[in-house]
Amino acid sequence: MNLELNKVLKTIACVFLCVFFFMGCKNFGQKEINLDEARDMLNHETAMYIAHQKISSNASKQVEGTIESIKTFFGNREILLPVEANFKYTIVFSEIDDIKIDGRTITLTLPRTHLELDNYNVLWDEVRENVGLLRSSFSQKEKDEIVAVAKEELKTKACENTKYIDATNRIAKEQLNKLFGNLGYDVVVNYSISLPIINN
């Protein structure tokens, strides 16, 4: 009888030890943080995504003179000048103002994405010109002006490209989940609906 009682007591003790050990492991590494500590953690984090776009600028409207009949008589003057560029989409976590901590859940609203032209390249081998016999060719100055216009067009397109903005948001969410998830927090991320800030 005593042997059976000892067995039962040992079994109960083992169960309690296992539960205690499990609960200890579950809560291990879970640290309570306040808003100031959360902001301090965010000050050292940035989410970045690099995207690639290409545009072809048709400069057929850049003609000498304004009279259509003169343009037609002397021939057309057109150029197709392709420009490609890389853009950096960046979310700076230190700009996150909207932070809420409720128990083990932290809710953050991402700030506006920053858009920056990282580099660009004119595909000179793909340039196509159509210049009438009595019209002058495009000068380098004119081509540079066309490239400048193309760069601005690229920025506008990049700013409105939700595919790249969404990709940056996903990267930011993954980083935030990792940052606060390692402390035992459930992370809720809300996205900004505003267009990116163009830095250059």
Side-chain angles (χ1 to χ4, degrees):
M1 183 72 176
N2 287 336
L3 288 174
E4 290 181 4
L5 183 61
N6 284 338
K7 267 187 177 181
V8 171
L9 291 174
K10 283 181 180 179
T11 302
I12 293 172
C14 284
V15 170
F16 273 110
L17 283 171
C18 288
V19 171
F20 179 78
F21 179 76
F22 173 76
M23 293 301 294
C25 288
K26 184 179 178 182
N27 294 319
F28 180 76
Q30 292 190 352
K31 177 189 173 185
E32 295 284 343
I33 60 173
N34 56 38
L35 286 175
D36 288 336
E37 290 171 322
R39 287 194 174 95
D40 187 57
M41 292 172 66
L42 292 170
N43 282 339
H44 307 288
E45 295 288 328
T46 295
M48 186 176 71
Y49 179 74
I50 296 180
H52 174 84
Q53 288 193 332
K54 176 181 174 180
I55 188 171
S56 295
S57 292
N58 190 333
S60 60
K61 293 182 180 179
Q62 295 197 13
V63 297
E64 295 160 352
T66 57
I67 302 175
E68 190 68 23
S69 60
I70 294 177
K71 170 189 166 185
T72 304
F73 179 79
F74 285 104
N76 290 330
R77 190 169 184 266
E78 299 175 330
I79 185 170
L80 187 68
L81 200 153
V83 179
E84 61 180 14
N86 286 325
F87 290 93
K88 285 196 292 191
Y89 293 78
T90 306
I91 294 176
V92 182
F93 288 171
S94 61
E95 295 178 358
I96 297 177
D97 289 326
D98 190 359
I99 308 172
K100 295 181 179 68
I101 299 176
D102 184 12
R104 302 305 302 181
T105 301
I106 182 166
T107 305
L108 310 100
T109 300
L110 295 179
R112 291 174 66 185
T113 303
H114 290 269
L115 174 67
E116 181 180 350
L117 176 60
D118 191 35
N119 58 66
Y120 73 95
N121 180 40
V122 180
L123 306 180
W124 294 110
D125 291 341
E126 298 180 22
V127 173
R128 298 290 179 268
E129 289 189 57
N130 179 21
V131 180
L133 185 62
L134 301 177
R135 304 297 304 277
S136 60
S137 297
F138 284 86
S139 67
Q140 188 58 48
K141 180 183 176 182
E142 287 177 303
K143 291 177 182 178
D144 291 341
E145 289 171 352
I146 295 166
V147 171
V149 171
K151 285 165 64 178
E152 293 305 313
E153 290 179 15
L154 275 166
K155 287 180 189 177
T156 300
K157 286 191 174 184
C159 189
E160 296 172 350
N161 196 318
T162 56
K163 179 179 73 173
Y164 296 145
I165 297 169
D166 291 344
T168 314
N169 286 334
R170 284 195 301 272
I171 292 170
K173 184 176 181 180
E174 290 170 5
Q175 289 184 216
L176 290 170
N177 277 324
K178 185 177 179 181
L179 183 65
F180 293 108
N182 288 338
L183 299 177
Y185 282 87
D186 294 321
V187 183
V188 178
V189 179
N190 299 316
Y191 302 131
S192 171
I193 60 173
S194 302
L195 290 176
I197 301 169
I198 300 177
N199 289 346
N200 65 347

